[in-house]
Amino acid sequence: MPGAVEQRLLRHGLRYALGLRTVVIGLSSAVYLALGTAPDRAMAVAVVLTLNAWSLGYAVALARGSRRARRWLPLVDVAVVCGACLTQSWTVVSDPRGGSTWVLVVVNLVVVTYPWQVDWPLLASGTAAIVAAYFVGATLADPGGWLADPAIGPWTAAQAALSWGLYRFVRRGARAADRAVDRAAQLRRAAAIAAARRRDEREYLAALHDTAAATLLMVGNGVLTGNSPWLAAQAHRDLRELRRSADAAQGETELVPLLHDAAATAAVQVTWHTPDRLSLPAADAVALSRSVREALTNVARHAGTDRAEIRIDRDPDQVTVSIVDRGVGFDPARVRPDRYGVTRSLVERMTRVGGQARIDARPGHGTTVTLTCPRSASEVVGSDQDVIAASFQRGLRWAVVVLSLAILLLLDLPRLLASREAYVSLWPQLLTWAGLAAVTLVVGVATWRDRPLGRWRLPLLALVFGLSALATSSVHPEYLLGPAHWSEGDAGWQVVLLMMDTRVAAFAAVLAAQYLMTFGQAVGAGEAALSVAGAVSATWAVLAFQLAIAMIAAVLRSMAASSAKALAAAERVRTAEAVARHLHADRADRMAALATTAVPLLDGLARDELDPGDEAVRRSCAAEAARMRRLIAEDTGTADSLAHELRACIELAERNGVTVTFADRGTRPELPPPVRRRLVEPAIAALATARSGTAARLTVASTGRSVTVSVVAVCPPPPPAADGVQLSTMVTGGRCWIQATWQGEQ
């Protein structure tokens, strides 16, 4: 199955080949009718009009047709072209100075463009049939004459083979681009999934800190000792936030209602300056609403005022939400970097969605929190476009290198050696041939090494022009522009190699300059081998093929950009689907973990079924709050995660009036998160349920192969340890001694 780039190449290549064929056949036959003569003028006009009408209809039908139509239409086309070849008795004149006829131009263009329309068996059989029909028609029109030149057959077959080789090289380049882009897309998708999962985890922990952890901690510390409407409402809001975090944020949602909902949880009167409606991606809107809630909570706790303003400003690039209070203010430089409310709930939360949070405050002058969120993500397709363009360019350049060498070796060299009498001197012809071959090899080496021509382009072009002029100057006037003048058009292939990565206008101008220089030399030398009509037809036969390379290069360059954009759009869809699947699974796992711990506690508090003054309820809430705080501390990624998580548990115990002594001995490796959780869980349970006003001791002892966490506190015995940890418990005199040991690999 062809990849996306290859499929686009085949579609565009087919349309281009059909367009080129239609235009060139139309122009060459029009020049013939205007400048040439025919044995039967009426028949010639009828054949030309019929053939051009068929070419146009064939191009439209093949480009729009079904697969079935694309199988039988080329067979009909071969028959039509063969019929045109058989009419040469009425449409061409036997003139030794005529050169290539318009019928031969048609034959050349048809077989050159067939590789983009048919597979190679039909290309080979169709070319053979058309060449045979041409020779039959030429023999009938000019028995034993120049029209039936035996060299025409091999040359036409060679053109078909070279064009097929060019097609295969370019298609191989498209396949290479598909492989490279697909590998890059897979890496980007994996990175995007990992980043999204990480952002979602951090957002979940931030929401946990702002909601359930804070509520359960207040209950566990005895701040609330009886059922109250505020506690029930707060527990209900916490449950709603946890469930919102468990739902994948897809599509868009209205920002303003979310901000009003967030403001309702804070004891602050808000003055609103917002539009009535503002839709944003759901993840961005949730992040903004949670950041606003945290900012208003800080106003209520620390600003010394119960009033604030919320303003929303928007432009095509971003949305800005400002929270302003006229309170006491503070010095942001004096806020510790580990303070979760500022660094996580505001700054990091907005960073996760690609936005920013800025806090402007001065003591005595109030505080302004500015949250900005981009309206749309920037589209980065440059790297894919470069990969696709480079693959196309490399494939096309290799094709023209091979084509040029084949022409020089198989066509030009035999013609040169067989036409010695046509040259004033042989050495300029041999030098020109060797020089053009050397230029081709230089471009081939640059392509193999994947290096641009750069500053060598102009010197090489000058060399090609000089060699072409040298070869033309050594041809006797009566042989100019004839078969012996092999360099007349074939030197243009080196121009193609050197200019194919430039704009079409520059390419055509330089190529035309090379032809005009040669024609000017022929005119200055006197009578040439061909008539005006013959020279035009002969030039068209080669020039059209060379200009086709310029058009192919231009089409491939534009197709690289459009392919990169199309692939980026498809990749965004696939990435979004993959991210959604992973996030849904992660959130389901997190909710399943909370379903047996935090959710029953919050649900009981919301329904007034649990009494916050009950000692067992307080201990359960304190233990769950401690687990959440440990989970939040685990996310910081510090150098010593185990000690950091234990210190978070110690901080909660000290808030509850427990004096904790901490000792850390030995050197240990960084432990995986599951191991740390199993080691810390017993200490969490002990410190969270330790009796207020008592003392506790926490010790970590590490060796090269084991880590032991032990705690002595006035607390209930802990639950059984998880697998992988050895737990020892002893209760004496009301004090509980708990030791959890993990044995590493021996």
Side-chain angles (χ1 to χ4, degrees), residues 254-604:
E254 286 294 325
L255 173 64
V256 177
L258 284 180
L259 296 187
H260 281 273
D261 188 47
T265 65
V268 176
Q269 296 183 23
V270 177
T271 302
W272 298 90
H273 304 281
T274 66
D276 294 332
R277 298 177 58 86
L278 178 57
S279 295
L280 286 179
D284 297 347
V286 169
L288 285 169
S289 67
R290 288 175 173 172
S291 296
V292 166
R293 181 186 58 213
E294 181 65 18
L296 292 176
T297 300
N298 287 337
V299 171
R301 290 176 180 174
H302 310 298
T305 181
D306 62 352
R307 296 180 180 275
E309 296 180 9
I310 294 181
R311 180 182 302 276
I312 295 180
D313 298 300
R314 54 183 173 173
D315 58 42
D317 297 324
Q318 67 180 19
V319 171
T320 302
V321 179
S322 303
I323 306 96
V324 181
D325 71 75
R326 311 298 179 188
V328 298
F330 67 98
D331 183 1
R334 301 185 64 180
V335 178
R336 297 200 317 270
D338 60 343
R339 285 293 299 274
Y340 202 97
V342 173
T343 59
R344 296 290 185 83
S345 294
L346 293 179
V347 177
E348 289 191 10
R349 174 173 278 142
M350 296 310 302
T351 301
R352 285 193 292 271
V353 295
Q356 292 180 332
R358 189 178 74 250
I359 297 131
D360 299 311
R362 282 192 302 161
H365 291 80
T367 302
T368 298
V369 176
T370 305
L371 311 171
T372 59
C373 188
R375 297 293 295 270
S376 60
S378 59
E379 184 175 328
V380 181
V381 298
S383 58
D384 283 352
Q385 179 176 335
D386 293 341
V387 168
I388 296 170
S391 296
F392 280 156
Q393 187 72 17
R394 191 180 303 111
L396 184 59
R397 194 180 293 279
W398 271 123
V400 180
V401 166
V402 173
L403 188 149
S404 299
L405 290 176
I407 290 174
L408 286 168
L409 288 170
L410 303 179
L411 298 175
D412 292 339
L413 185 59
R415 193 186 307 171
L416 184 161
L417 296 176
S419 306
R420 298 184 181 184
E421 73 283 355
Y423 309 127
V424 176
S425 179
L426 185 62
W427 71 264
Q429 301 295 319
L430 295 175
L431 179 62
T432 298
W433 186 92
L436 296 180
V439 170
T440 304
L441 292 175
V442 167
V443 176
V445 171
T447 304
W448 176 58
R449 293 185 176 181
D450 200 17
R451 294 180 179 176
L453 293 174
R455 56 193 176 91
W456 290 100
R457 188 194 311 272
L458 290 179
L460 290 174
L461 277 174
L463 176 62
V464 170
F465 272 70
L467 292 172
S468 177
L470 176 65
T472 300
S473 65
S474 65
V475 178
H476 289 299
E478 62 272 21
Y479 291 97
L480 287 170
L481 305 182
H485 190 185
W486 61 273
S487 63
E488 174 261 328
D490 291 352
W493 287 112
Q494 281 66 44
V495 175
V496 170
L497 274 174
L498 296 172
M499 296 295 295
M500 61 185 296
D501 58 347
T502 62
R503 295 181 179 275
V504 175
F507 181 108
V510 175
L511 190 61
Q514 191 272 327
Y515 275 93
L516 290 174
M517 179 189 71
T518 302
F519 290 157
Q521 286 182 277
V523 171
E527 185 178 5
L530 298 182
S531 63
V532 175
V536 171
S537 294
T539 300
W540 260 120
V542 180
L543 181 60
F545 199 2
Q546 293 169 346
L547 287 175
I549 304 298
M551 297 302 298
I552 291 174
V555 168
L556 292 181
R557 284 196 296 272
S558 65
M559 201 172 74
S562 61
S563 296
K565 291 181 179 179
L567 289 171
E571 181 186 341
R572 283 195 297 274
V573 173
R574 289 193 296 268
T575 300
E577 292 174 349
V579 166
R581 287 195 304 270
H582 283 84
L583 294 188
H584 179 75
D586 291 347
R587 291 163 175 171
D589 291 342
R590 289 197 291 262
M591 278 304 295
L594 293 176
T596 58
T597 55
V599 171
L601 291 173
L602 291 171
D603 190 57

Side-chain angles (χ1 to χ4, degrees), residues 113-190:
T113 56
Y114 264 172
W116 295 93
Q117 307 166 43
V118 300
D119 54 20
W120 71 266
L122 183 54
L123 171 65
S125 58
T127 300
I130 291 172
V131 170
Y134 173 83
F135 272 103
V136 171
T139 301
L140 293 175
D142 186 23
W146 70 271
L147 286 178
D149 184 355
I152 292 176
W155 166 242
T156 304
Q159 279 191 309
L162 292 173
S163 181
W164 181 82
L166 184 148
Y167 161 78
R168 296 301 301 177
F169 270 108
V170 175
R171 189 169 179 181
R172 188 174 68 176
R175 288 176 179 171
D178 271 321
R179 290 192 297 270
V181 170
D182 186 59
R183 285 195 299 269
Q186 290 177 2
L187 293 175
R188 286 195 297 266
R189 193 176 308 125

Side-chain angles (χ1 to χ4, degrees), residues 8-73:
R8 290 175 66 85
L9 172 69
L10 296 178
R11 288 196 301 269
H12 285 270
L14 174 64
R15 294 170 185 170
Y16 164 74
L18 294 171
L20 176 69
R21 162 191 158 136
T22 303
V23 170
V24 172
I25 289 178
L27 289 175
S28 61
S29 58
V31 169
Y32 159 72
L33 290 179
L35 301 178
T37 58
D40 188 330
R41 185 75 177 177
M43 176 64 75
V45 171
V47 170
V48 167
L49 293 178
T50 301
L51 183 61
N52 278 278
W54 164 254
S55 288
L56 181 59
Y58 170 73
V60 173
L62 195 65
R64 297 180 177 178
S66 62
R67 289 186 177 181
R68 183 177 179 182
R70 291 180 182 180
R71 285 196 294 268
W72 63 264
L73 276 172

